């Protein structure tokens, strides 16, 4: 009932982790691979190991989460070795997330992947909100176009981009116009809503240490923004570009809504962090329940079929 195809690989369901959550170490990745998730993505890797920002740097709130991890990761080689090893063991579809600390690093990371044995998907993260002094790439439209133009002179493997949320119709139009120029496998909307501020009222204090408490928001706060981005890009992107919907998935109805807006796959961040990998079987069951109630037999029966009021 929940089966779905991505790059001609049949997945048991459309659920994945969102990059950053439960995917930093091979132990965590093994747990994802052994979970009910249809696929998984690795923590965004830079060229070198990074310690990340000082702790506390992730905080669960009643309605979601705020984080300023600052790209802690074990370096590209660690994750590339992991996915290549699994590929040799027969893994069919994996997602490797990367971002560079500079323009040149972005190019060299992707060249390394291109030249490697890795045959899976690359998720190019253009939207980390938490590295002090480094603006989110995809809020700079000119830079995004220049970077992707160079990437596609040499990169021929499947690749998608992870985008930040946009909040203006003109920005949906302009980013979609740029993305439609390239043979992207998919677009993933959205990364966390950047630079929110959560306050502990008793202490009259912020809850995370980096950047004076500013951090990316996830969870319930961001579902309407995530759905708007999925819907807006589905309406604007070439049909060949798939969409991964990320943001505000707490239950099976949220997964249904992402798919109704046009998502091919749906990622879970904050709720995975709160519940662990058992979240995937719960969400799969809940999604099936919603579909049963509505009389839908497959995801294609309702994907992208959101109605508007005429
Ligand atoms: O590591 C992080 O601080 C982080 C990243 Br790279 C990202 O893309 N999104 C996010 O919320 N945190």
């Amino acid at each position: 009932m929940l089966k779905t195809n991505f790059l001609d690989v049949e997945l048991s369901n459309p659920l994945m982790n969102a990059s950053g959550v439960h995917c930093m170490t091979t132990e965590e990745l093994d747990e994802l691979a052994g979970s009910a998730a249809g696929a998984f993505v690795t923590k965004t890797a830079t060229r070198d190991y990074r310690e990340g920002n000082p702790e506390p740097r992730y905080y669960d709130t009643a309605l979601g989460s705020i984080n300023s991890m600052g790209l802690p990761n074990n370096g590209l080689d660690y994750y590339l070795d992991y996915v290549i090893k699994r590929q040799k063991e027969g893994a069919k579809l994996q997602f490797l997330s990367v971002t560079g600390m500079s323009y040149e690093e972005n190019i060299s990371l992707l060249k390394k992947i291109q030249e490697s044995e890795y045959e899976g998907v690359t998720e190019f993260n253009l939207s980390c909100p938490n590295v002090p002094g480094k603006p989110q790439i995809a809020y700079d439209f000119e830079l995004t176009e220049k970077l992707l133009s160079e990437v596609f002179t040499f990169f021929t493997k499947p690749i998608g981009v992870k985008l930040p949320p946009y909040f203006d119709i003109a920005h949906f139009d302009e980013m979609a116009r740029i993305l439609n120029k390239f043979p992207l496998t998919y677009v993933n909307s959205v990364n966390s809503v950047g630079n929110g501020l959560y306050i502990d009222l008793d202490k009259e204090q912020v809850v995370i240490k980096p950047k004076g408490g500013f951090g990316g928001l996830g969870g319930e706060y961001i579902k309407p923004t995530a759905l708007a981005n999925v819907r807006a890009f589905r309406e604007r992107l070439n049909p060949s570009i798939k969409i991964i919907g990320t943001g505000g998935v707490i239950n099976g109805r949220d997964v249904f809504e992402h798919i109704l807006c046009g998502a091919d796959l749906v990622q879970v961040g904050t709720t995975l962090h709160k519940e662990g990998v058992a979240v995937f079987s719960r969400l799969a069951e809940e999604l099936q329940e919603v579909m049963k109630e509505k009389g839908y037999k497959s995801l294609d029966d309702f994907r992208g079929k959101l109605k508007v009021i005429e």
Side-chain angles (χ1 to χ4, degrees):
M1 193 180 203
L2 300 186
K3 285 194 171 63
T4 194
N5 270 49
F6 198 90
L7 289 174
D8 290 329
V9 178
E10 189 183 83
L11 308 178
S12 58
N13 65 61
L15 302 169
M16 297 177 65
N17 65 306
S19 181
V21 182
H22 210 96
C23 57
M24 187 99 77
T25 63
T26 57
E27 288 77 16
E28 288 177 323
L29 289 162
D30 282 344
E31 271 188 49
L32 283 175
S35 79
F40 68 85
V41 57
T42 58
K43 169 66 188 175
T44 300
T46 49
R47 184 189 57 205
D48 302 318
Y49 166 86
R50 282 174 57 84
E51 188 68 35
N53 291 337
E55 295 180 343
R57 57 191 186 181
Y58 188 109
Y59 187 88
D60 283 313
T61 73
L63 296 181
S65 64
I66 183 167
N67 90 83
S68 184
M69 303 297 288
L71 257 171
N73 76 93
N74 288 309
L76 177 62
D77 288 348
Y78 178 94
Y79 301 100
L80 195 52
D81 288 351
Y82 180 78
V83 288
I84 290 174
K85 179 167 160 280
R86 287 193 77 255
Q87 179 177 298
K88 289 182 176 163
E89 293 164 359
K92 291 202 185 78
L93 188 73
Q94 308 180 85
F95 291 71
L96 174 67
S97 176
V98 293
T99 198
M101 299 305 291
S102 67
Y103 185 94
E104 291 70 30
E105 188 180 328
N106 280 309
I107 297 299
S108 73
L109 287 170
L110 292 171
K111 282 201 169 143
K112 186 161 193 177
I113 295 170
Q114 175 67 27
E115 286 158 15
S116 76
E117 294 171 79
Y118 181 55
E119 291 166 0
V121 188
T122 297
E123 177 160 293
F124 190 18
N125 186 353
L126 301 179
S127 48
C128 176
N130 299 330
V131 180
K134 299 252 179 257
Q136 291 161 82
I137 296 172
Y139 281 147
D140 183 336
F141 292 81
E142 246 176 75
L143 175 61
T144 299
E145 184 163 7
K146 179 167 180 263
L147 187 54
L148 291 178
S149 297
E150 183 162 352
V151 166
F152 282 105
T153 61
F154 64 87
F155 203 84
T156 59
K157 294 179 176 180
I159 184 169
V161 287
K162 178 81 172 273
L163 297 179
Y166 298 100
F167 302 93
D168 195 289
I169 300 298
H171 293 167
F172 292 137
D173 289 344
E174 179 61 6
M175 186 45 68
R177 186 190 67 74
I178 292 167
L179 298 173
N180 276 333
K181 293 182 176 184
F182 303 105
L184 285 162
T185 302
Y186 73 91
V187 161
N188 185 345
S189 287
V190 298
N191 207 320
S192 56
V193 171
N195 295 296
L197 189 61
Y198 188 86
I199 292 169
D200 179 329
L201 181 61
D202 289 339
K203 293 187 187 159
E204 301 177 19
Q205 193 179 50
V206 301
V207 294
I208 54 174
K209 183 169 178 184
K211 292 172 67 179
F214 285 67
L217 304 176
E220 217 175 309
Y221 304 112
I222 78 162
K223 187 177 75 169
T225 292
L227 293 176
N229 278 258
V230 169
R231 171 72 164 168
F233 282 117
R234 186 63 291 157
E235 289 179 314
R236 288 167 176 76
L237 292 175
N238 301 332
S240 61
I241 304 179
K242 291 189 174 277
I243 307 240
I244 299 183
T246 306
V249 173
I250 286 95
N251 57 48
R253 292 189 306 280
D254 304 321
V255 181
F256 186 96
E257 289 178 9
H258 267 277
I259 297 170
L260 192 64
C261 287
D264 293 283
L265 302 178
V266 177
Q267 295 185 344
V268 188
T270 296
T271 310
L272 167 60
H273 189 269
K274 285 183 181 174
E275 292 182 24
V277 297
V279 75
F280 295 112
S281 49
R282 176 177 70 76
L283 291 172
E285 276 165 33
E286 291 175 3
L287 175 58
Q288 289 209 43
E289 273 310 304
V290 181
M291 288 170 65
K292 254 186 228 153
E293 278 165 27
K294 290 174 171 284
Y296 291 131
K297 295 198 167 48
S298 79
L299 304 180
D300 288 336
D301 290 348
F302 62 95
R303 181 179 282 125
K305 294 189 178 162
L306 178 67
K307 292 179 240 175
V308 295
I309 300 167
E310 299 295 343

